[in-house]
């Protein structure tokens, strides 16, 4: 996903008077721009930075849904709508099976050490933003036993 595409979609939502969609995309755009400024690449924002920011924002909204009191159904519905909109822009993550295949094939020499910290460091460098960190941690934990 590119920042330009996000901005175009935000403009389209504004023209369509879709406030919920505009707000969700707007929060993604501002988060991406903030990360780009922090990283010092304000003018040329790389796609991987956009994707990682989208995933981070998606995780934040999921935490809001999970921690929201169950009796606040209108708030949960609002968070869920925002989550669904952001999910459209999130990059497709690898499945657990794909992650396990990559870890066992590409990191066989590191797996032989049975040092979970060293394995995670090597694997996360390769799969960051491509797979769920919790899934990677579970798979590496199983393989270290």
């Amino acid at each position: 996903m590119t920042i330009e595409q996000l901005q175009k979609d935000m403009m389209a939502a504004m023209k369509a008077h879709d406030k919920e969609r505009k707000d969700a995309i707007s929060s993604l755009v501002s988060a991406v721009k903030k990360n780009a400024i922090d990283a010092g690449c304000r003018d040329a924002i790389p796609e991987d930075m956009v994707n990682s920011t989208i995933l981070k924002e998606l995780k934040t909204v999921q935490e809001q849904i999970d921690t929201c009191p169950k009796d606040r159904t209108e708030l949960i519905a609002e968070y869920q709508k925002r989550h669904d909109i952001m999910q459209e822009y999130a990059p497709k993550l690898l499945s657990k099976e794909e992650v396990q295949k990559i870890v066992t094939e590409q990191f066989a020499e590191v797996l032989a050490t049975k040092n979970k910290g060293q394995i995670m460091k090597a694997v996360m460098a390769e799969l960051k933003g491509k797979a769920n960190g919790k899934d990677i941690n579970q798979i590496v934990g199983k393989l270290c036993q």
Side-chain angles (χ1 to χ4, degrees):
M1 180 60 53
T2 64
I3 186 72
E4 292 80 14
Q5 183 62 47
L6 281 174
Q7 290 171 328
K8 284 179 188 173
D9 289 356
M10 184 177 71
M11 294 296 269
M14 290 169 81
K15 289 177 182 175
H17 301 289
D18 187 348
K19 184 176 176 355
E20 290 176 329
R21 187 169 191 79
K22 186 215 55 115
D23 289 346
I25 299 171
S26 176
S27 69
L28 288 177
V29 170
S30 63
V32 169
K33 285 183 177 181
K34 182 189 178 309
N35 283 350
I37 290 169
D38 291 347
C41 59
R42 185 178 187 170
D43 298 327
I45 303 172
E47 266 192 61
D48 62 331
M49 179 181 285
V50 175
N51 289 337
S52 66
T53 303
I54 291 172
L55 290 174
K56 187 175 181 183
E57 290 297 308
L58 199 58
K59 185 177 178 182
T60 302
V61 173
Q62 184 61 52
E63 288 172 3
Q64 289 174 328
I65 293 169
D66 294 342
T67 59
C68 188
K70 299 300 177 212
D71 58 338
R72 299 285 311 271
T73 54
E74 74 287 344
L75 197 55
I76 291 174
E78 180 184 323
Y79 290 151
Q80 188 62 51
K81 178 78 171 156
R82 172 173 255 169
H83 182 273
D84 294 343
I85 292 168
M86 288 181 177
Q87 187 70 47
E88 295 173 25
Y89 296 99
K92 181 170 178 345
L93 298 178
L94 298 171
S95 69
K96 286 185 177 184
E97 294 78 24
E98 292 170 317
V99 170
Q100 184 160 0
K101 182 180 177 195
I102 291 170
V103 169
T104 52
E105 289 176 1
Q106 294 183 5
F107 300 98
E109 66 282 348
V110 182
L111 279 173
T113 65
K114 299 283 186 191
N115 181 341
K116 186 175 180 182
Q118 190 177 17
I119 297 167
M120 285 297 291
K121 185 176 179 181
V123 172
M124 287 305 287
E126 178 73 24
L127 297 179
K128 186 171 182 132
K130 297 178 185 173
N132 188 334
K134 287 182 182 178
D135 292 344
I136 296 171
N137 191 20
Q138 288 175 348
I139 291 167
V140 169
K142 286 179 189 174
L143 294 173
C144 284
Q145 294 175 349

